[in-house]
Amino acid sequence: MDYAQFSQNELIKMLDNERKAFKQVQKRGISVDMTRGRPESAQLAVSMPMLENAGTYNYVEDGVDARNYGQLLGIKSARELYANLMGCKEDEVIVADGSSLDLMYTVVQFAMQFGVLGSTPWNKLKKVKFICLTPGYDRHFSICEHFGIEMIAVRMRADGPDMNLIESIVRDDDSVKGIWCVPKYSNPSGITYSDKVVERLATMKTAADDFRIFWDNAYLAHDLYDDGDRLKNIFDVARKAGTLDRVYAFSSTSKITFAGSGLACFASSQSNVEAIAHELFFKTIGPNKINQVMHVNFLKNLSHIKEIMRKHAEILRPKFKLFDEKMTQEFEGDNYVNWSKPRGGYFISLDVKTCAKRVVELSAEAGVKFTPAGSSFPYHIDDLDENIRIAPSVPTLDEMDYAVDVLISAIKQARMELVLKKIYHFDARA
Ligand SMILES: Cc1ncc(COP(=O)(O)O)c(C=O)c1O
């Protein structure tokens, strides 16, 4: 809908009607917090057998008692399982406690304080910069802000990051030490990197020898459909190119079993694994291996993980579909409203030109909370004020139905207000 074609009076009337309709919608009295991509209860129930069977598992593996201290890098079977998931070798894996974000923070902290593989500690340098893909995962950007790492925003394209731009940035500037990547079903765009992008990232020339790709493969098993996206194995490419030290890969079972109570993983070259283990030694005597035994017994192998993820997909898919159907009905062909149609992961990325903040604000008035507009950008600056991250996992279907009704009305109102202000200099919010 091009609201600019209406007169001021027509628009004021239309806005008034929309506001009345909005009040009617609100009578359903639902409130939904979609600020983060939390699994819903039905998904958590999928993994309850793991806890119910906890007493039946064998906690002694090859003479190692998982109930005791030790095994800094994780138990053998858990490292094996993760090596299969990540597509690397068992001795290239550290299996740690519940959160991959914790591991990412720790690894950045180690680099800042101690350097990587003998390089100058990053906090001794005048400047450290990371490339941050936009829209991207807000928590990656928070880590950078926390450590005073300067963020260079680079736009995502349909096949992953803009590689021409990235190659030109890292080739000449040795203060650029890292890039955050969510290579499969990116948060929030849902994009999976093409083979070419993976190859270029692994092989590009970097001015900094201690440049690292923070490969956050959080959604490696999170397909919504049986024919999920396929991501090229960066370990294969980097191994062949002799750049394996460049890859710092992460993942977790937060959205396979239990968020915050699963297993997290770091995978990289053996040299990096040894270097990180050297620092971890001072931090802990070993991870929660009881949880590792439980996960290995429950998850079993890749094909069983696929089966478990199919159950999650059955719960998630209808909510992604409902969003797409309702938005298509309302905004199909509308240049001002665009949204992603991911085949996996946890998010839909919605663009509403120059009125994202207002849409989030209006939705909150009807009890529907989205991540604050701008969160998916470094320093929370979305120049175009257009991006909103939608987390369909959180609401039930009924709540999702309500949330999209609220969102649609909020978008219409925000756009009418915008046109009234821009064209007629009339402040409809006053
Ligand atoms: C891309 C990405 N990485 C990491 C995380 C957090 O993972 P964990 O629970 O393992 O800390 C999330 C959670 O939403 C995420 O979207």
Side-chain angles (χ1 to χ4, degrees):
M1 168 85 80
D2 183 7
Y3 290 111
Q5 67 183 297
F6 297 102
S7 71
Q8 179 175 344
N9 281 344
E10 282 170 333
L11 269 178
I12 290 173
K13 199 157 185 220
M14 283 162 70
L15 179 58
D16 194 43
N17 286 340
E18 191 57 47
R19 282 175 175 166
K20 281 183 188 137
F22 195 53
K23 287 229 157 57
Q24 283 304 315
V25 171
Q26 284 180 55
K27 284 198 174 141
R28 283 170 76 182
I30 295 175
S31 58
V32 199
D33 184 347
M34 292 166 79
T35 50
R36 303 231 65 91
R38 284 179 295 117
E40 72 143 304
S41 316
Q43 289 180 261
L44 302 176
V46 170
S47 293
M48 282 309 287
M50 178 171 81
L51 303 186
E52 286 149 18
N53 294 328
T56 67
Y57 303 144
N58 182 7
Y59 289 93
V60 183
E61 180 182 289
D62 298 332
V64 172
D65 193 332
R67 298 164 300 180
N68 220 323
Y69 278 128
Q71 305 300 305
L72 185 62
L73 306 185
I75 59 171
K76 185 174 166 43
S77 56
R79 294 179 76 194
E80 239 170 48
L81 183 64
Y82 251 119
N84 288 336
L85 259 177
M86 303 293 273
C88 61
K89 299 177 186 164
E90 186 191 316
D91 52 15
E92 292 167 342
V93 168
I94 298 175
V95 181
D97 291 337
S99 157
S100 61
L101 191 64
D102 182 327
L103 269 179
M104 290 177 235
Y105 177 96
T106 300
V107 168
V108 171
Q109 188 180 31
F110 287 168
M112 294 298 286
Q113 213 163 354
F114 308 115
V116 300
L117 297 183
S119 76
T120 306
W122 292 355
N123 63 10
K124 292 226 159 69
L125 303 171
K126 259 206 199 121
K127 204 164 244 183
V128 177
K129 300 177 197 158
F130 268 39
I131 295 172
C132 297
L133 305 169
T134 66
Y137 180 39
D138 56 345
R139 296 299 197 118
H140 290 159
F141 306 159
S142 303
I143 290 178
C144 282
E145 262 194 287
H146 190 57
F147 283 105
I149 296 171
E150 193 176 307
M151 292 182 265
I152 307 171
V154 172
R155 276 256 158 200
M156 284 286 278
R157 296 153 58 108
D159 65 343
D162 179 343
M163 285 311 301
N164 287 344
L165 183 54
I166 287 171
E167 283 168 352
S168 72
I169 294 170
V170 299
R171 192 176 45 227
D172 302 321
D173 186 348
D174 68 357
S175 67
V176 180
K177 300 294 188 193
I179 179 170
W180 291 109
C181 296
V182 183
K184 190 167 177 189
Y185 305 132
S186 290
N187 174 352
S189 64
I191 287 165
T192 297
Y193 296 7
S194 70
D195 290 2
K196 196 76 208 152
V197 163
V198 176
E199 281 159 16
R200 287 174 76 175
L201 280 167
T203 58
M204 65 191 178
K205 293 228 170 335
T206 62
D209 289 337
D210 51 354
F211 178 86
R212 293 291 181 267
I213 300 170
F214 288 76
W215 197 247
D216 180 0
N217 210 349
Y219 301 109
L220 78 181
H222 302 60
D223 305 318
L224 285 171
Y225 301 91
D226 278 347
D227 58 336
D229 290 359
R230 200 193 54 83
L231 174 70
K232 192 165 182 81
N233 184 336
I234 196 166
F235 287 91
D236 290 347
V237 187
R239 201 184 302 284
K240 204 164 149 205
T243 57
L244 202 51
D245 285 344
R246 181 186 293 182
V247 180
Y248 274 177
F250 303 86
S251 196
S252 80
T253 62
S254 285
K255 286 158 186 155
I256 296 176
T257 55
F258 299 119
S261 305
L263 308 182
C265 151
F266 169 80
S268 187
S269 66
Q270 242 177 295
S271 326
N272 280 333
V273 164
E274 278 164 24
I276 297 293
H278 176 265
E279 301 305 338
L280 276 181
F281 169 85
F282 298 99
K283 217 181 154 204
T284 176
I285 302 171
N288 177 349
K289 299 176 300 297
I290 289 180
N291 203 23
Q292 296 192 6
V293 170
M294 286 166 59
H295 273 77
V296 169
N297 277 274
F298 177 65
L299 297 176
K300 293 187 176 68
N301 51 44
L302 293 193
S303 71
H304 191 242
I305 291 174
K306 214 170 170 65
E307 237 174 80
I308 291 168
M309 294 316 288
R310 226 174 253 137
K311 292 183 187 167
H312 284 268
E314 274 159 27
I315 299 164
L316 288 169
R317 202 171 43 237
K319 297 191 265 185
F320 279 78
K321 276 180 87 172
L322 183 68
F323 181 92
D324 188 48
E325 279 163 15
K326 290 184 81 117
M327 291 293 282
T328 302
Q329 213 169 33
E330 194 64 45
F331 298 118
E332 189 167 34
D334 188 326
N335 286 334
Y336 292 91
V337 187
N338 293 293
W339 61 98
S340 59
K341 295 168 188 276
R343 300 187 57 74
Y346 261 63
F347 301 101
I348 294 167
S349 181
L350 169 68
D351 285 337
V352 283
K353 281 201 181 96
T354 62
C355 59
K357 278 203 184 87
R358 180 64 179 146
V359 169
V360 169
E361 187 181 48
L362 280 165
S363 302
E365 283 174 18
V368 179
K369 279 197 206 148
F370 295 113
T371 314
S375 298
S376 302
F377 293 77
Y379 311 107
H380 304 265
I381 300 171
D382 175 2
D383 283 336
L384 304 173
D385 184 27
E386 68 174 359
N387 189 256
I388 301 173
R389 183 177 81 166
I390 311 290
S393 62
V394 180
T396 60
L397 256 188
D398 194 37
E399 288 167 342
M400 187 64 172
D401 187 67
Y402 174 73
V404 188
D405 283 345
V406 164
L407 180 67
I408 288 171
S409 178
I411 294 172
K412 287 175 164 174
Q413 291 177 62
R415 283 180 56 197
M416 283 188 253
E417 289 172 1
L418 199 69
V419 172
L420 277 166
K421 190 148 195 200
K422 268 195 171 166
I423 300 183
Y424 300 109
H425 310 289
F426 177 82
D427 187 356
R429 293 175 61 186

